[in-house]
Amino acid sequence: MKKIVIIGSGIGSITATKALVKRGIKPLILDTGNIIDKDKLEIKNKLKKLNYNDWSKNDYNKLFKKEKNKSIFKKQIFGSNYFYGKNLKVNKFSDNSEIPFFSYAKGGLSEGWGGAVLSPDFEEIKDWPIDKGNFEKYLEITLNDLPYITKTDDLSNIFPTYTNNNFNLKKSFATNFVINELKNKNNLTNLLVGNSRLLTRINDDSNFIKCQYCGRCISGCVYDSIYNSKQDLEKLLENNQINYSDNIIVKKLINENNRIKIEFIDLKSNIYSSIYADKVFLGAGSINSTRIIMNSNNYFNKNYDLKSKGQIIFPLFSRKSLLNNWPHTNTQPDIYMEYKYNDEFWTHTQINTSNDLFINIFPSIISQNKIFDYFIKKLMNHFFVAHTTINSFNSDYYRMFLDHNDNLNIKLINNNKTLKTLNNIQNELKVIFKNSNFRTINPLILKNNISLHNGSSMPMSINPKDNETNIYGNPKNFKNVHIIDSSILPSLPATPIGLLIMANASRIATEVNLNE
Ligand SMILES: Cc1cc2nc3c(=O)[nH]c(=O)nc-3n(C[C@H](O)[C@H](O)[C@H](O)COP(=O)(O)OP(=O)(O)OC[C@H]3O[C@@H](n4cnc5c(N)ncnc54)[C@H](O)[C@@H]3O)c2cc1C
């Protein structure tokens, strides 16, 4: 039987793994696979068995107390940065590199993601070299294999839901109020407002429990109700459908007699080793997959461009109280607002009407003084947040190269259009919020290195050049290596990219000829 190896356990790798398992394959996953500290995991597992009203303050503080963080926009899970990758001796970045988010975690970045999904407007990805009808089939397969909640609404015509599901979380007064205000006070044909689409359980299944409305979605889901790829990985392991090795840093792939030699460092022993595979599916995330391919092709000092997305954060104030019931609520984004800018492209806005971040900004006051606690909660009833993203064509990007000493150099490159476009969009969205009686307070344009969505460093193309891949993610010179993460997406639309990564990984792992 052919030996199939998958690198990484992020959403790309695990979606590909599931497709291969369906084909009767038992693949081996090689992964760095960091997990949260044992102490925190023990507390999480203890709290998971309890109703959140019964959590002790001591356990709660131990689990959610924040690690030192340079940026308030760097989300932590259970007060920890564990799911982000860092500078490693064996995988170094050169000094002064501006490093976007990447992951060495079991489950990759999905360990800390928001679980927000939305299919793209196909007009925006019409230059992708893959067949629309075929890709839609994989969007549907992917979504229907996940705990996916969505409702048919104003967005569905342009951003199809690909399911007959018509489920949603319990909607609060705030959600319905904000949706109605945005829709009714703005009579615009280029504005669509509706419910968010989330990968969140609203029913118990054999392995996981449904959302308990505990109000801590942004700080880590104790109940594992928000989907991440580690959950599927653990199910596959339990069912003996895969083999898994962690503490591995894959460094290089080498073609040898029609097989692939995978060279890696075992982080436990610090020993350089290798194994052979007939096919390799590479899903180490856009930065690490690109690095592995640069090294494998001996492409030193050769530039690869990694796309990202410009963002605007709008803190918003509603004169009418939103009767926020925090913490007895779900705090994932509850509203999507799609706004077509200049008749050119869609911007994507996620709105959180109830947000534990606001409460966390004032934790010391809240925990120390009951009177302040009361007033802050009253005040917070009037605040909410909107987060807007734009596509990669109009955004800054990163330029990466690997030097001869194996240091990865990454620099942010300004796209001349970015700031002007973000400013214009900000002004137009401000009018929409104002018409709805919501005041914006100092919107923040984020154009530096905190983009949550990165990719397209080795885009798929019909006639791939050196830095590109073919439609099955094969990089130049490697017909038995298929890249399956965000690095091969030809562009990044404004909508969340996770669904695109998964559907594309599913397509590749289902369609490639494993006997070649
Ligand atoms: C805070 C945050 C919130 C987000 N929210 C959303 C959201 O709501 N919706 C959405 O669609 N997207 C969201 N994203 C983006 C999304 O999480 C990522 O685009 C996606 O998870 C990337 O998946 P991936 O499979 O490409 O790679 P990754 O998640 O980066 O996984 C890489 C995997 O490879 C392994 N690995 C890395 N290097 C090596 C190596 N050298 N050898 C072996 N293994 C290796 C790692 O251990 C990891 O398992 C968010 C991102 C962040 C940071």
Side-chain angles (χ1 to χ4, degrees), residues 8-9 11-12 31-33 103-105 108-109 113-116 248 250 284 288 485 496 498:
S9 63
I11 49 174
D31 190 18
T32 313
S103 183
Y104 285 137
L109 285 174
W113 75 342
I248 300 283
V250 171
N288 285 307
D485 55 33

Side-chain angles (χ1 to χ4, degrees), residues 146-149 161 169 196 345 353 360 413 426 434 456 487 490:
L146 294 168
Y148 171 43
I149 49 174
T161 56
L169 291 160
S196 57
F345 59 84
T353 56
N360 284 339
I413 310 285
Q426 180 197 174
K434 194 173 168 206
S456 307
S487 24

Side-chain angles (χ1 to χ4, degrees), residues 300-358:
F300 299 110
N301 297 327
K302 186 175 161 71
N303 288 335
Y304 278 69
D305 289 340
L306 177 75
K307 294 188 172 128
S308 75
K309 298 205 270 192
Q311 309 169 72
I312 312 170
I313 308 252
F314 293 92
L316 290 155
F317 177 79
S318 160
R319 256 179 279 161
K320 190 176 165 86
S321 167
L322 297 175
L323 301 176
N324 196 335
N325 195 21
W326 193 89
H328 314 290
T329 180
N330 176 291
T331 55
Q332 288 175 275
D334 47 347
I335 299 170
Y336 284 175
M337 183 173 93
E338 311 307 308
Y339 174 70
K340 196 163 203 173
Y341 169 70
N342 238 357
D343 219 14
E344 270 178 55
F345 59 84
W346 289 100
T347 64
H348 171 70
T349 301
Q350 298 185 359
I351 299 177
N352 290 55
T353 56
S354 180
N355 192 327
D356 38 331
L357 253 192
F358 270 150

Side-chain angles (χ1 to χ4, degrees), residues 31-48:
D31 190 18
T32 313
N34 289 345
I35 52 170
I36 196 162
D37 285 354
K38 211 171 137 238
D39 295 0
K40 293 214 172 214
L41 187 61
E42 269 170 21
I43 302 174
K44 175 188 173 262
N45 287 338
K46 179 175 159 194
L47 298 193
K48 188 176 173 171

Side-chain angles (χ1 to χ4, degrees), residues 435-448:
N435 290 344
S436 320
N437 291 324
F438 304 133
R439 298 278 145 189
T440 48
I441 308 152
N442 288 337
L444 277 175
I445 289 188
L446 306 178
K447 55 184 294 292
N448 53 10

Side-chain angles (χ1 to χ4, degrees), residues 122 130-140 162 507 511:
F122 269 83
I130 51 179
D131 177 73
K132 177 185 175 217
N134 190 39
F135 194 58
E136 286 194 292
K137 186 176 89 189
Y138 290 102
L139 287 168
E140 188 173 337
Y162 296 110
R507 178 185 66 83
E511 293 185 1

